[in-house]
Amino acid sequence: IYPQLQDYPNREFWWGFRPATPDELPILGNSPCSNLTLATGHYRNGILLAPITAKLIADLWEQKLDPLLESFSYLRFLGESWKSGVGSREKRAEGAEGDIANYQLPTTNYQLPITNNSQMQTLDLSQQQSLDRPLVIADRTFSSRLMTGTGKYRNVEEMQQSVVASGCQIVTVAVRRVQTKAPGHENLAEALDWTKLWMLPNTAGCQTAEEAIRVARLGREMAKVLGQEDNNFVKLEVIPDPKYLLPDPIGTLQAAEQLVKEGFAVLPYINADPMLAKRLEEVGCVTVMPLASPIGSGQGLKTTANIQIIIENAGVPVVVDAGIGTPSEAAQAMELGADALLINTAIAQAKNPPAMARGMKLATEAGRLAYLAGRIPIKDYAIASSPLSGTVTS
């Protein structure tokens, strides 16, 4: 249409998130401000709805108020008493701006029909789009099932961006590395907003039960200094093996017993050993955290059979920890029925850590939904997607 444009330099460009509304419908029409008209909230359908949006807004500016606009007014979020103001700029202008500034949108549960045992039920999308229970660890509830770490990042900025992109609520921190200001851990405590994240101090670097107990106590004090007075969580790691970094089952059990007595909520990192997992649960651990493969290896799920046994027998949340390298492996772990994942190296060492963090977040959610939905059985033969009955024959 205008070929000369191909020779023009780019002077400026911009991108942003697609705005969405609580009811997933656009907001169109007049606003409380006399010089502001609203045409937003289309989310993924903006380009599809651009022509009709343009026509409705153009007509509005020509004083042709289409009745359709009433259904998309921002006033629908403000309660029944506001509806009388739809289409009237004067009514909205009288005190509306001050009231809206202090108004909080009502909580709405959106219903989606699903089929379960031939009975039609409703699905609350505000609860992870599933009939799921929340993740509860030591009487504390979390909406995210992905935990992340703070180590191995190339810089603090990438770590901060990745934590946000992951959507996690629990972030594990190596107490010893923070205490000694190890490279990459300087000012780590101040780098994250601990009013929005729950700190999970870990005993990384401890080779004996005694060391782990001492570092766990330091971790609890560190959490208190950062404002989490009631945080008694600790990720228990007892790893004497410097080459393969496999946890010591005996030392882990010994340390767990003592820390539970001292009031800690213990999240033990272990080999995928069903018997050890049960013993740790019996002594009072609030989760068990079996490894998928050696820590930092990126080998993926090498202990699937044992993790399945642990999940089947556990009365506490099972968090798959270590070895996951890709989002597909994260989804696979969640499809087994794991309650959560802890992923650090696969995110921190990726070429683009924030992008990988986002991928891991989506994979965790997808895997959980797939587990709840129930996969089809695996068969040795094909089954036609369409029934043969009723087909047209010559």
Side-chain angles (χ1 to χ4, degrees), residues 9 46 128 133 166 171 222 302 315 319 338 350:
Q128 296 186 357
R133 65 186 188 281
S166 73
V171 176
M222 184 172 70
K302 299 296 185 182
V319 183

Side-chain angles (χ1 to χ4, degrees), residues 4-126:
Q4 295 93 323
L5 287 177
Q6 67 182 344
D7 299 320
Y8 287 7
N10 285 326
R11 298 295 300 273
E12 183 180 358
F13 65 89
W14 176 93
W15 70 272
F17 294 107
R18 294 164 168 169
T21 64
D23 61 5
E24 300 182 358
L25 298 176
I27 299 175
L28 306 174
N30 291 323
S31 77
C33 306
S34 59
N35 62 342
L36 174 65
T37 302
L38 301 173
T40 187
H42 297 75
Y43 189 41
R44 300 180 64 180
N45 297 310
I47 195 167
L48 303 177
L49 297 176
I52 184 62
T53 298
K55 183 179 186 305
L56 290 171
I57 298 303
D59 287 347
L60 177 64
W61 287 346
E62 295 290 334
Q63 306 301 318
K64 302 174 186 176
L65 182 63
D66 192 306
L68 186 63
L69 285 178
E70 182 171 351
S71 299
F72 300 102
S73 170
Y74 75 95
L75 298 175
R76 69 185 184 273
F77 299 118
L78 305 183
E80 294 295 323
S81 62
W82 288 80
K83 287 190 176 179
S84 60
V86 176
S88 171
R89 201 181 289 275
E90 293 73 25
K91 288 183 181 180
R92 288 194 300 281
E94 296 175 2
E97 293 184 49
D99 292 338
I100 290 173
N102 299 316
Y103 188 82
Q104 293 185 346
L105 291 179
T107 301
T108 307
N109 290 335
Y110 309 110
Q111 304 300 319
L112 176 71
I114 64 169
T115 304
N116 185 14
N117 296 330
S118 300
Q119 299 294 319
M120 291 303 292
Q121 301 183 12
T122 56
L123 186 64
D124 184 357
L125 294 183
S126 67

Side-chain angles (χ1 to χ4, degrees), residues 74-392:
Y74 75 95
L75 298 175
R76 69 185 184 273
F77 299 118
L78 305 183
E80 294 295 323
S81 62
W82 288 80
K83 287 190 176 179
S84 60
V86 176
S88 171
R89 201 181 289 275
E90 293 73 25
K91 288 183 181 180
R92 288 194 300 281
E94 296 175 2
E97 293 184 49
D99 292 338
I100 290 173
N102 299 316
Y103 188 82
Q104 293 185 346
L105 291 179
T107 301
T108 307
N109 290 335
Y110 309 110
Q111 304 300 319
L112 176 71
I114 64 169
T115 304
N116 185 14
N117 296 330
S118 300
Q119 299 294 319
M120 291 303 292
Q121 301 183 12
T122 56
L123 186 64
D124 184 357
L125 294 183
S126 67
Q127 296 180 1
Q128 296 186 357
Q129 296 184 330
S130 64
L131 297 177
D132 198 2
R133 65 186 188 281
L135 174 63
V136 179
I137 301 175
D139 297 324
R140 191 172 186 88
T141 302
F142 302 95
S143 58
S144 172
R145 294 179 179 271
L146 175 61
M147 308 175 190
T148 64
T150 53
K152 300 185 179 181
Y153 285 93
R154 287 178 281 270
N155 53 64
V156 173
E157 290 74 21
E158 281 192 348
M159 183 271 290
Q160 293 170 321
Q161 295 167 7
S162 298
V163 168
V164 172
S166 73
C168 70
Q169 294 172 299
I170 299 177
V171 176
T172 185
V173 175
V175 178
R176 289 188 121 181
R177 296 191 182 102
V178 173
Q179 294 285 329
T180 60
K181 299 187 183 333
H185 291 73
E186 306 92 340
N187 302 317
L188 179 60
E190 295 79 20
L192 296 173
D193 185 354
W194 297 110
T195 63
K196 299 178 181 178
L197 299 169
W198 189 247
M199 178 180 284
L200 177 57
N202 71 56
T203 63
C206 294
Q207 299 184 7
T208 67
E210 293 74 19
E211 281 185 288
I213 292 168
R214 184 169 65 253
V215 171
R217 293 167 182 160
L218 290 173
R220 181 159 60 182
E221 295 307 312
M222 184 172 70
K224 288 181 179 179
V225 169
L226 295 175
Q228 298 185 5
E229 292 286 340
D230 58 340
N231 190 338
N232 62 345
F233 279 42
V234 61
K235 182 191 175 191
L236 176 60
E237 298 184 23
V238 182
I239 303 177
D241 171 21
K243 182 175 182 180
Y244 298 104
L245 299 177
L246 297 174
D248 174 9
I250 298 174
T252 301
L253 183 58
Q254 291 172 343
E257 289 175 325
Q258 180 59 34
L259 291 172
V260 169
K261 290 177 182 177
E262 296 183 16
F264 282 89
V266 181
L267 293 78
Y269 170 61
I270 62 171
N271 292 298
D273 182 340
M275 296 306 299
L276 175 60
K278 204 61 187 174
R279 286 292 303 277
L280 288 164
E281 180 182 337
E282 289 168 355
V283 302
C285 292
V286 295
T287 71
V288 288
M289 305 180 72
L291 56 82
S293 55
I295 191 167
S297 68
Q299 294 179 20
L301 288 165
K302 299 296 185 182
T303 57
T304 303
N306 279 15
I307 289 176
Q308 284 183 308
I309 295 172
I310 292 172
I311 291 170
E312 289 172 9
N313 291 283
V316 294
V318 177
V319 183
V320 175
D321 183 9
I324 289 176
T326 64
S328 62
E329 293 162 359
Q332 184 182 358
M334 294 302 293
E335 289 168 8
L336 295 176
D339 295 279
L341 306 175
L342 199 161
I343 302 174
N344 188 149
T345 306
I347 295 174
Q349 295 292 292
K351 291 181 179 179
N352 185 332
M356 183 61 77
R358 173 68 172 166
M360 292 296 187
K361 172 185 183 292
L362 298 174
T364 301
E365 295 173 354
R368 182 65 181 177
L369 288 173
Y371 167 72
L372 294 169
R375 64 157 294 143
I376 62 172
I378 299 174
K379 298 182 181 296
D380 294 328
Y381 49 86
I383 298 178
S385 299
S386 301
L388 296 178
S389 59
T391 56
V392 177

